[in-house]
């Protein structure tokens, strides 16, 4: 715990400030959007709109589409990538990858609790089965507020999702809260 | 017992019919069960234990039960808007915060209320306040949205959506 008296520590050090604006190399999904994963997505969402399965109803989109938010879940594990469930042998492991985004530098802040503060989406286009999705992530901002319980650091990440041909799908602005 | 209201498809809302203060059709999901949560986690390949490991969720993390996925709730909020806009309008922007937990047994109602509307060229832009309310009346996912709709007798909103079609505000 940091001191209850005096000025709270400033966690936005020059090293943290230096990564604001940092952009990860474009990350491409390991496989094109599969009709089956799009189906499991809309069925688990319990959204049975015909645009997801009926070619006639989806003619406006050039054929059936995946739900509009699908791209944010398109980055799956590659066939030869390490099994994340290996870590389950550690009894305390919660099953969550601590990397905020692969390819972005770590936010060097000594705060343990991580919370998802929410999302802002700007939506442009549905992804279709057969299309390959890629994402470009950047730290749009990192800033500190001092609450009653101590310093809180907000990490704002912009993720731009597009097709392999550079057609915009959506922009996600995600705020991660460290405290 | 229905787990989901019937999706509205095809022609969506028309700008001229929208009034400030109006509630758009709600979207009801549930009652949610551990099976619904497991199905979503498996589809997402999300291995966070609080969604399927009751002992871990309650004893290690001190939660009341396994949790309904935040990722699932965010797509419910988006579906509320795609159902309303149909295939003739477009849900341009949607944002929300995760403020509360939901657990098995909860029935969730996504709702939206129009806060502003503005003509923009041949289309109309509608701002909404949105939320996700449990059967106990608790709001877990407050947010806002901006939806683009066609005018009566006018063309559908062009697809893919480009904000440039709205001209400058």
């Amino acid at each position: 715990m940091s001191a209850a008296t005096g000025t709270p520590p400033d966690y936005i050090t020059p090293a943290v400030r230096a990564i604001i604006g940092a952009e990860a190399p474009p990350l491409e999904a390991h496989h094109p959007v599969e009709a089956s994963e799009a189906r499991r997505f809309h069925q688990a969402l319990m959204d049975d709109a015909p645009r997801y399965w009926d070619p006639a109803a989806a003619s406006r989109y050039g054929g059936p589409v995946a739900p509009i938010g699908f791209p944010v879940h398109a980055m799956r594990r590659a066939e030869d990538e390490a099994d994340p469930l290996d870590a389950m042998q550690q009894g305390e492991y919660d099953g969550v990858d601590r990397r905020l985004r692969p390819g972005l530098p770590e936010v060097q802040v000594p705060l343990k609790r991580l919370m998802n503060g929410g999302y802002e989406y700007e939506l442009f286009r549905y992804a279709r089965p057969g299309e390959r999705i890629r994402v470009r992530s950047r730290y749009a901002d990192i800033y500190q507020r001092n609450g009653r319980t101590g310093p809180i650091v907000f990490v704002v990440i912009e993720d731009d999702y597009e097709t392999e041909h550079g057609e915009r799908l959506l922009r996600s602005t995600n705020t991660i809260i460290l405290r | 017992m229905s787990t989901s209201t019937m999706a509205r498809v095809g022609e969506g809302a028309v700008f001229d019919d929208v009034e400030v203060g109006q509630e758009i059709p709600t979207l009801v999901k549930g009652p949610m069960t551990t099976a619904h949560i497991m199905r979503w986690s498996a589809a997402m390949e999300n291995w966070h234990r609080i969604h399927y490991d009751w002992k871990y969720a309650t004893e290690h993390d001190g939660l009341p039960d396994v949790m309904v996925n935040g990722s699932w709730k965010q797509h419910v909020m988006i579906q509320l808007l795609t159902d309303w806009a149909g295939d003739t309008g477009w849900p341009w922007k949607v944002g929300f915060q995760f403020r509360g937990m939901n657990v098995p047994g909860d029935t969730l109602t996504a709702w939206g209320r129009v806060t502003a509307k503005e003509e923009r060229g041949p289309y109309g832009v509608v701002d909404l306040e949105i939320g996700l309310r449990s059967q106990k009346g608790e709001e877990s996912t407050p947010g806002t949205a901006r939806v683009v709709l066609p005018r009566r007798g006018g063309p559908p909103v062009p697809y893919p959506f480009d904000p440039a079609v709205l001209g400058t505000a």
Side-chain angles (χ1 to χ4, degrees):
Chain A
M1 290 299 286
S2 54
T5 55
T7 10
D10 184 3
Y11 289 138
I12 312 300
T13 60
V16 171
R17 198 167 290 116
I19 63 171
I20 298 174
E23 191 164 321
L27 180 68
E28 195 161 285
H30 296 295
H31 59 80
V33 178
E34 298 166 343
S36 166
E37 63 179 350
R39 175 185 57 77
R40 282 178 287 137
F41 185 110
H42 81 75
Q43 287 184 332
L45 180 59
M46 295 177 276
D47 179 355
D48 56 2
R51 73 177 74 89
Y52 307 132
W53 48 271
D54 178 355
S59 59
R60 176 149 212 235
Y61 311 112
V65 292
I68 209 164
F70 177 88
V72 304
H73 303 290
M75 302 299 152
R76 307 294 180 125
R77 179 166 69 109
E79 285 77 355
D80 57 352
E81 214 172 304
D83 185 348
L85 299 195
D86 288 347
M88 289 291 180
Q89 299 311 315
Q90 308 153 24
E92 299 284 291
Y93 181 59
D94 63 2
V96 183
D97 193 335
R98 275 290 174 276
R99 295 175 300 175
L100 293 183
R101 295 294 185 281
L104 279 181
E106 195 184 334
V107 181
Q108 303 268 7
V109 163
L111 296 169
K112 287 276 187 295
R113 286 185 64 200
L114 183 151
M115 291 183 301
N116 191 333
Y119 290 92
E120 301 277 340
Y121 286 118
E122 186 172 9
L123 308 166
F124 305 109
R125 182 186 180 280
Y126 288 102
R128 295 182 49 204
E131 291 182 325
R132 203 175 276 266
I133 292 172
R134 70 181 175 210
V135 61
R136 287 175 296 117
S137 302
R138 63 183 285 268
Y139 287 126
D141 202 3
I142 304 172
Y143 60 94
Q144 178 173 335
R145 294 275 182 274
N146 296 312
R148 273 169 304 156
T149 54
I152 306 169
V153 170
F154 296 82
V155 181
V156 182
I157 302 175
E158 268 175 14
D159 297 306
D160 281 304
Y161 291 87
E162 59 191 23
T163 67
E164 69 214 283
H165 303 300
E167 295 163 286
R168 282 196 299 182
L169 294 168
L170 67 92
R171 165 174 283 188
S172 156
T173 306
N174 181 203
T175 301
I176 306 273
I177 299 171
L178 303 169
R179 58 191 309 172
Chain B
M1 175 163 48
S2 165
T3 52
S4 173
T5 52
M6 181 71 80
R8 262 184 82 180
V9 296
E11 292 205 2
V14 173
F15 179 75
D16 307 61
D17 297 338
V18 174
E19 289 175 23
V20 172
Q22 171 195 337
E23 301 264 346
I24 68 172
T26 56
L27 174 65
V28 181
K29 303 278 188 183
M32 295 298 287
T33 69
T34 52
H36 291 87
I37 297 169
M38 182 270 289
R39 179 169 62 182
W40 177 261
S41 295
M44 296 305 104
E45 300 177 26
N46 174 334
W47 315 119
H48 197 175
R49 280 185 166 183
I50 62 168
H51 301 305
Y52 56 85
D53 186 336
W54 184 86
K55 196 172 161 67
Y56 186 92
T58 57
E59 292 180 11
H60 184 275
D61 275 14
L63 297 166
D65 202 334
V66 293
M67 293 288 111
V68 174
N69 308 68
S71 59
W72 180 83
K73 293 195 280 189
Q74 70 177 342
H75 296 292
V76 171
M77 303 312 296
I78 295 172
Q79 188 196 342
L80 170 78
L81 304 169
T82 48
D83 280 3
W84 189 55
D87 295 308
T88 47
W90 188 255
W92 178 16
K93 293 180 179 181
V94 54
F96 36 77
Q97 300 179 331
F98 297 121
R99 292 272 187 83
M101 309 184 284
N102 293 106
V103 293
D106 279 357
T107 294
L108 300 168
T109 300
W111 59 269
R113 192 174 54 81
V114 175
T115 55
K117 58 176 287 191
E118 184 189 14
E119 292 177 18
R120 294 279 286 273
Y123 313 106
V125 174
V126 178
D127 287 341
L128 302 114
E129 178 188 4
I130 56 175
L132 190 65
R133 182 186 301 133
S134 76
Q135 76 285 357
K136 290 171 267 183
E138 292 164 352
E139 298 284 351
S140 67
T141 318
T144 58
R146 176 165 285 185
V147 176
V148 185
L149 297 178
R151 310 280 303 277
R152 178 167 307 293
V157 177
Y159 177 85
F161 178 68
D162 182 349
V165 301
L166 302 174
T168 47

